[in-house]
Amino acid sequence: MAASANSFLVGNNTQIPALKPRSTSQSLLHLSKPNTMSLAGKTKPVAVRCVASSTTQVQDGVRSGSVGSQERVFNFAAGPATLPENVLLKAQADLYNWRGSGMSVMEMSHRGKEFLSIIQKAESDLRQLWEIPQEYSVLFLQGGATTQFAALPLNLCKPDDTVDFVVTGSWGDKAAKEAKKYCKTNVIWSGKSEKYTKVPSFDELEQSPDAKYLHICANETIHGVEFKDYPVPQNPNGILVADMSSNFCSKPVDVSKFGVIYGGAQKNVGPSGVTIVVIRKDLIGNAQDITPVMLDYKIHDENSSLYNTPPCFGIYMCGLVFEDLLEQGGLKEVEKKNQRKADLLYNAIEESEGFYRCPVEKSVRSLMNVPFTLEKSELEAEFIKEAAKEKMVQLKGHRSVGGMRASIYNAMPLAGVEKLVAFMKDFQAKHA
């Protein structure tokens, strides 16, 4: 007897209709587990199998199909943020039994051959995406980018060394304040007085001649300011260090221009819990004596990011995202898609004749995080509420700046931005 898509097959080939699930995305796929069921007063061992009836196809970042999509929202959160739907479905399919291993990735030993294959492929794919030179190490760590605010000076400086900071937003400011505990910091430019709406001309930067490194936040998540080019340290022995948490793998980057690139994964390449550090190998091994073992790059490099138990499932998810980005054609193609989405949203703001406003200087507007306000600020709460009714969520701006913010990372499909723009035009028509 053939089983229908949503039925249980029991041991004696009796077919029992199953309750229709709300969506197959809420049930385990390929689950086969011994159980018992009472039939005609007798208890017999049976096998229960849940069979997925359909699949979702995601092409060019746009959802199609019936699995999950009908119940999912367009999530404009700044992080943790939306992930590619095909990546989520792939992880779901392998959740119970990863590639016939008999266990979930969440259950694997981090030193077993199965997980070693996962983390090694994740690193290999990231190296391919960013064309990372061999003289750089890739570290999968924990603690978020915020932990790196301390790890960087502890590994790269002595207490009397100077470090320069260009502060274009809240995260650059926090990085400078934390580093001050472990070295001498020099904020050579800050956009705070102009509410963090621009990037300085590099020619006007008065760098310290002996600065160990020059630190920037390549994309400020809160204020929506993004470096389109990068400054060069004046100290010939100095290096450029960049926090790329919110534009990580959103476009090609010449890694050789940097001594260190770091970022939290939870915005563009995975779930929260993973921090990625790409560091030139000759910079490793000079940590201050007070450096905690978990902040010492040498320890993690020598142990291939496995000194202690890493965030295994998070690294696995990052690997799936890297795989997906390669399948899209690499970061040049990804950047084109991101530029198209950003242009669509910024153009809608500019064409609103002041009803919507983006405070950031046009030349440095972020492709990832788009902050905007309403001319009538009293309408902002209603805007957010009405958008949520249309399944567009997390549009409220950061508590420190207010207004709205649409984070349109790699995984945000064009359809999501198109829907937001259409909503913005309708909202303006009602309230202008």
Side-chain angles (χ1 to χ4, degrees):
M1 180 182 294
S4 65
N6 293 306
S7 65
F8 295 138
L9 283 179
V10 298
N12 61 358
N13 284 334
T14 301
Q15 183 174 334
I16 300 176
L19 291 175
K20 185 177 180 182
R22 286 186 294 169
S23 75
T24 48
S25 67
Q26 295 173 324
S27 62
L28 288 175
L29 300 183
H30 312 304
L31 178 78
S32 183
K33 183 178 181 181
N35 208 334
T36 60
M37 184 175 291
S38 178
L39 294 173
K42 297 180 181 180
T43 301
K44 295 183 179 181
V46 299
V48 179
R49 183 177 66 196
C50 295
V51 183
S53 61
S54 61
T55 58
T56 293
Q57 296 179 344
V58 181
Q59 297 180 345
D60 196 28
V62 180
R63 301 180 175 104
S64 64
S66 59
V67 178
S69 297
Q70 295 168 327
E71 297 185 10
R72 285 178 62 80
V73 298
F74 287 117
N75 177 13
F76 292 93
T82 189
L83 286 164
E85 191 167 303
N86 55 326
V87 165
L88 292 173
L89 290 170
K90 189 172 183 179
Q92 180 195 47
D94 284 336
L95 180 64
Y96 185 72
N97 184 352
W98 183 79
R99 298 188 182 179
S101 66
M103 56 185 161
S104 170
V105 174
M106 290 186 283
E107 302 170 299
M108 291 176 180
S109 166
H110 61 293
R111 304 194 190 283
K113 64 180 181 180
E114 294 88 358
F115 184 71
L116 287 179
S117 71
I118 288 172
I119 193 170
Q120 288 166 4
K121 187 176 188 303
E123 178 180 338
S124 175
D125 286 349
L126 177 57
R127 284 184 176 277
Q128 185 178 344
L129 278 168
W130 255 359
E131 299 179 358
I132 299 173
Q134 285 304 307
E135 58 266 27
Y136 285 75
S137 288
V138 175
L139 307 176
F140 293 97
L141 307 177
Q142 303 180 64
T146 301
T147 299
Q148 297 307 308
F149 296 166
L152 286 160
L154 284 168
N155 281 271
L156 303 178
C157 306
K158 301 304 179 188
D160 290 333
D161 288 338
T162 300
V163 174
D164 285 345
F165 285 83
V166 175
V167 177
T168 53
S170 294
W171 294 110
D173 181 57
K174 289 180 179 181
K177 288 176 179 175
E178 183 68 6
K180 192 173 184 178
K181 300 173 184 177
Y182 310 106
C183 65
K184 293 180 178 178
T185 57
N186 183 20
V187 176
I188 60 174
W189 188 90
S190 173
K192 187 174 183 179
S193 63
E194 297 178 79
K195 298 183 178 180
Y196 297 128
T197 55
K198 60 184 290 188
V199 169
S201 165
F202 300 153
D203 294 337
E204 69 183 75
L205 297 177
E206 296 183 7
Q207 298 186 39
S208 305
D210 57 347
K212 278 287 185 176
Y213 64 87
L214 172 62
H215 182 280
I216 64 170
C217 180
N219 185 83
E220 284 284 354
T221 318
I222 294 173
H223 296 90
V225 176
E226 183 173 18
F227 281 79
K228 305 302 180 180
D229 197 5
Y230 307 105
V232 177
Q234 288 183 359
N235 179 3
N237 297 316
I239 59 169
L240 180 62
V241 173
D243 175 357
M244 291 193 180
S245 293
S246 53
N247 63 353
F248 202 96
C249 283
S250 65
K251 58 183 179 181
V253 170
D254 183 353
V255 174
S256 66
K257 289 183 176 181
F258 301 84
V260 184
I261 294 172
Y262 68 99
Q266 72 276 7
K267 301 177 186 297
N268 233 355
V269 295
S272 60
V274 181
T275 307
I276 301 172
V277 174
V278 179
I279 178 171
R280 213 173 65 202
K281 291 180 180 179
D282 64 299
L283 300 172
I284 298 172
N286 303 300
Q288 294 183 31
D289 292 339
I290 64 168
T291 305
V293 66
M294 288 303 294
L295 299 189
D296 191 335
Y297 294 146
K298 184 172 185 277
I299 294 292
H300 295 294
D301 185 50
E302 290 178 342
N303 290 275
S304 303
S305 302
L306 299 170
Y307 175 72
N308 72 332
T309 307
C312 296
F313 195 79
I315 293 170
Y316 160 71
M317 290 296 294
C318 288
L320 292 184
V321 172
F322 297 151
E323 209 172 78
D324 179 65
L325 294 174
L326 287 170
E327 289 172 358
Q328 290 184 47
L331 297 186
K332 288 183 180 179
E333 292 303 313
V334 170
E335 183 182 26
K336 291 177 185 176
K337 295 175 184 179
N338 288 332
Q339 186 69 59
R340 182 181 178 190
K341 291 183 295 182
D343 286 346
L344 184 63
L345 184 48
Y346 283 121
N347 287 341
I349 293 170
E350 292 302 311
E351 292 168 4
S352 72
E353 298 181 346
F355 187 83
Y356 301 105
R357 296 173 180 174
C358 176
V360 181
E361 191 176 275
K362 290 183 180 180
S363 63
V364 293
R365 286 179 174 176
S366 171
L367 297 188
M368 299 287 98
N369 310 101
V370 181
F372 60 97
T373 59
L374 267 66
E375 183 180 28
K376 302 175 182 178
S377 59
E378 66 273 13
L379 292 175
E380 290 176 358
E382 184 178 349
F383 179 97
I384 293 165
K385 181 180 177 180
E386 292 301 315
K389 289 180 181 179
E390 298 298 322
K391 297 190 180 299
M392 293 176 287
V393 301
Q394 300 295 323
L395 283 164
K396 187 176 181 179
H398 191 271
R399 61 186 181 277
S400 65
V401 296
M404 272 73 64
R405 174 180 55 180
S407 294
I408 51 175
Y409 299 122
N410 291 348
M412 174 57 66
L414 177 63
V417 180
E418 289 175 335
K419 184 173 182 179
L420 175 59
V421 167
F423 171 80
M424 291 169 67
K425 291 179 179 178
D426 287 345
F427 189 86
Q428 180 178 356
K430 292 176 183 177
H431 298 284

